[in-house]
Structure formats: structure tokens, C-alpha cells
Amino acid sequence: MSLNIGDIAPNFELPDTELKLRTLDDFKGGKIVLSFIVAASSPVCETELCNFRDSWKEISDLGAKVVAISNDGPFANKAFAEKNHFNFPLLGDYSSKTIRDYGILMPDLLHIKGYNAAKRSVFIVNEDGKIGYKWVSEDPLKEPNYEEIKNFLK
């Protein structure tokens, strides 16, 4: 199932790096930038999340929050987040349920049978819970357009 702009964003319950279960509702109170990454500690994912880290104040000033989601477990995510000093939550969708709910499953990453990941994607959830912005890449090496995301938040 593919989500489109105007659809209600699926809720989730995923562990953060401190093993606390977090839901989409936990982040309400402004726009939510959901960044789905392919794999913790991979070079392009590191670049992407460091871009969001470095833009955090600007994004925050626009009334939005960043939440990153990977299919990695909380321990790999914690090491990745601590190494890079992320100032936003990194959630682990190790069962890929949320990734499937958002319609962005990339099966058999690197041609390894059963090694599923998320397509590199950004969804912005508006205050009403609906998707206002969607970017999904079929190429795991392609980064999102950060300026376009910030312009949407304005």
C-alpha cells in the first residue's frame, strides 16, 4: 500500500535508543518530519541525519520536529546516534512493520534474501495528522532535497 499526500499518517509504536516505546502521537504539536533511513551507520544515512541535526534549530524554529526511523534495533541506533550527537529521536523498526505501513519496504537489500530495509524517504505529517509532503527514493544512495523540506515547513 502506498501512502499519498492527504492520507492519514499511520501511527506506530517503536523503541527509541533508550528502549522507550514511542508513538507518532508523542510528537504531535506541530509538523513532524519522518525520515526513514536505509541503515544505521551507513555513509549516506549518516550524511542525511547529520544534515537534519545541523538544521535542527531552523526546523525547530519553524515549529517542526524531526524523527528518524530505521529498521535497525535500538542498540545499533544508539551507537549511531551517540557517535553523531543526534538531537532528535532515532527509532528502531526492526520488524519493518511501520516501514510496510508507509509502503516503503525495500526487500532483499544488496541482494541478500530477507534483509529488508526502508527506502530512503521523508514524510512530513501536518498538525491534522495527514501527510503533507512525501519524498521516496528507489535509489538508496540519493539524499532528499533538504531545502525543499525546509521550504515546505515554512
Side-chain angles (χ1 to χ4, degrees), residues 14-128:
L14 300 171
D16 65 16
T17 57
E18 300 304 319
L19 305 178
K20 180 180 177 189
L21 291 176
R22 308 294 298 268
T23 67
L24 183 63
D25 291 342
D26 291 343
F27 305 105
K28 285 191 173 173
K31 288 183 171 63
I32 305 163
V33 179
L34 290 178
S35 171
F36 288 87
I37 62 169
V38 179
S41 297
S42 66
V44 179
C45 295
E46 188 166 7
T47 299
E48 178 180 344
L49 294 190
C50 286
N51 266 298
F52 282 124
R53 177 200 63 204
D54 296 344
S55 299
W56 181 84
K57 180 169 179 0
E58 183 180 358
I59 290 169
S60 253
D61 288 348
L62 293 169
K65 298 175 182 95
V66 173
V67 177
I69 298 174
S70 82
N71 70 320
D72 298 286
F75 304 108
N77 282 342
K78 183 172 184 161
F80 184 44
E82 286 178 350
K83 174 188 170 209
N84 292 288
H85 309 286
F86 295 145
N87 44 11
F88 49 82
L90 176 54
L91 309 179
D93 184 18
Y94 51 87
S95 70
S96 299
K97 180 191 179 316
T98 300
I99 292 165
R100 282 183 175 86
D101 289 348
Y102 278 76
I104 53 169
L105 183 73
M106 183 171 35
D108 304 330
L109 180 65
L110 303 173
H111 310 290
I112 300 172
K113 185 92 175 127
Y115 179 31
N116 297 328
K119 293 177 183 176
R120 187 173 313 286
S121 310
V122 176
F123 294 85
I124 298 178
V125 181
N126 290 328
E127 294 86 342
D128 62 1

